């Protein structure tokens, strides 16, 4: 259990980070404010992924739960209602590899046409970014924020983290995409996403960032997250003493609507095992799901007004009130 000075230091760090995120637009609403509609949509058009990342629950969860593709009528219902909402972002992916969906390019075109004021974000492992797909993405400017998951700095580290993919094939795809993007009239915003790895030094990450910058991108390194305890490697939790939950560091359940392939709504993307379904958009629509009694009650619990949410007890992003100081639950050491 941390001492008073450690709690105060963590609380001040979180307060300053909130100010930074509010200024940059990363934090769209105040912690705990859900508004009347979601600002972000995460839509799982199918459940597959081919990377088998060791830092991801997908390889295990995929074998445990029902899988499938979203029906065309459900997709149409979602995008129809989305077109009438002042959304900040539309993300046609959720706990999957989006480009394993053969309809993904057409879906991106539909979002661009029908939600013209909404930013489109896609995160992909780049294994399916063929020359043809890259050409369409760049020429038609189909994505505003394209994130490429490259969890390594060389063949050895990459193969250890993403054993389902081939380093050289992925590298060829990414280099081809970046070359096209450099010559585009309106270049895409492309970021390489890495995850901290005890076997990769800071110097190696810095060299990797420099190499990606020479190709027209940059590296963004994220800390390890055990996906609310769903990974075998667990985050070390610091604040396990007396506390009251007071929100989510990323404010996810108050800003994002996460829709599974069958229309079920989960509280956030960390609910990999679909422990607590809040609603189904096929039955209630987007606004109905967002304002469902169950989802409203869950948000109250996240803010400390009721029993603590089970998923949050295992998540390092949960905010805790420790003797009047608001701090994230844990960190990775």
């Amino acid at each position: 259990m941390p001492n008073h000075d450690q709690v105060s230091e963590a609380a001040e760090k979180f307060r300053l980070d909130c100010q930074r995120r509010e200024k940059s637009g990363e934090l769209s609403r105040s912690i705990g404010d859900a508004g009347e509609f979601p600002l972000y949509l995460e839509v799982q058009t199918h459940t597959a992924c081919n990377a088998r990342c060791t830092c991801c629950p997908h390889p295990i969860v995929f074998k445990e739960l029902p899988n499938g593709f979203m029906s065309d009528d459900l997709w149409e219902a979602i995008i129809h209602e989305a077109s009438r909402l002042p959304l900040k972002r539309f993300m046609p992916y959720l706990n999957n590899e989006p480009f394993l969906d053969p309809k993904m390019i057409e879906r991106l075109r539909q979002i661009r046409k029908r939600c013209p004021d909404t930013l489109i974000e896609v995160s992909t492992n780049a294994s399916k970014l063929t020359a043809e797909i890259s050409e369409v993405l760049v020429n038609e400017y189909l994505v505003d924020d394209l994130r490429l998951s490259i969890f390594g700095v060389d063949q050895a580290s990459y193969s250890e983290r993403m054993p389902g993919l081939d380093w050289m094939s992925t590298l060829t795809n990414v280099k081809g995409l970046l070359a096209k993007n450099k010559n585009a009239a309106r270049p895409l915003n492309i970021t390489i996403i890495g995850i901290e790895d005890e076997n990769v030094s800071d110097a190696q990450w810095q060299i990797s960032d420099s190499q990606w910058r020479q190709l027209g991108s940059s590296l963004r390194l994220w800390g390890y997250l055990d996906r609310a305890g769903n990974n075998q490697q667990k985050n070390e939790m610091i604040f396990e003493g007396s506390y009251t939950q007071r929100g989510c560091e990323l404010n996810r359940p108050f800003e994002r609507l996460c829709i599974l392939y069958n229309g079920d709504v989960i509280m956030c993307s960390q609910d990999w095992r679909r422990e607590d379904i809040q609603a189904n958009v096929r039955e209630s629509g987007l606004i109905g799901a967002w304002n469902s009694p169950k989802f409203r009650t869950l948000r109250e619990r996240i803010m400390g007004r009721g029993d603590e949410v089970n998923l949050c007890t295992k998540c390092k992003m949960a905010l805790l009130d420790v003797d009047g100081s608001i701090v994230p639950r844990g960190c990775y050491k």
Side-chain angles (χ1 to χ4, degrees), residues 16-29:
L16 293 175
D17 186 56
C18 281
Q19 288 183 348
R20 178 193 62 78
R21 287 190 289 150
E22 287 176 354
K23 187 175 181 180
S24 67
E26 292 178 50
L27 191 62
S28 300
R29 284 180 173 148

Side-chain angles (χ1 to χ4, degrees), residues 99 105 108 112 120 122 124 129 133-148 176-178 180-191 215-218:
F99 287 101
I105 290 294
L108 292 172
R112 181 65 83 205
I120 302 173
V122 174
T124 172
L129 293 185
I133 289 179
S134 293
E135 184 119 12
V136 172
L137 289 175
V138 172
N139 289 347
E140 298 184 29
Y141 196 80
L142 292 181
V143 183
D144 298 284
D145 186 356
L146 183 57
R147 305 179 179 192
L148 309 183
L177 169 66
L178 294 177
K180 289 181 176 64
N181 199 50
K182 266 189 173 182
N183 298 319
R186 186 184 180 189
L188 303 178
N189 178 31
I190 302 176
T191 307
L215 293 172
S217 185
S218 63

Side-chain angles (χ1 to χ4, degrees), residues 151 158 169 192 239 243 247 289 306 321:
F151 301 156
Y158 178 85
S169 296
I192 306 299
F239 300 106
Y243 66 83
D321 184 334

Side-chain angles (χ1 to χ4, degrees), residues 44 54 66 68 97 111 120 161 203 224 243 264 266:
Q44 181 186 64
T54 59
E97 166 46 48
I111 299 169
I120 302 173
R161 278 289 196 181
Y224 175 75
Y243 66 83
D264 282 345
I266 54 177

Side-chain angles (χ1 to χ4, degrees), residues 162-207:
M162 308 180 81
L165 304 180
D166 179 75
W167 166 253
M168 292 307 299
S169 296
T170 301
L171 203 58
T172 298
N173 287 351
V174 175
K175 286 183 176 180
L177 169 66
L178 294 177
K180 289 181 176 64
N181 199 50
K182 266 189 173 182
N183 298 319
R186 186 184 180 189
L188 303 178
N189 178 31
I190 302 176
T191 307
I192 306 299
I193 301 298
I195 292 182
E196 291 178 353
D197 187 329
E198 61 184 10
N199 297 317
V200 180
S201 68
D202 291 343
Q204 286 176 296
W205 284 120
Q206 290 170 4
I207 292 171

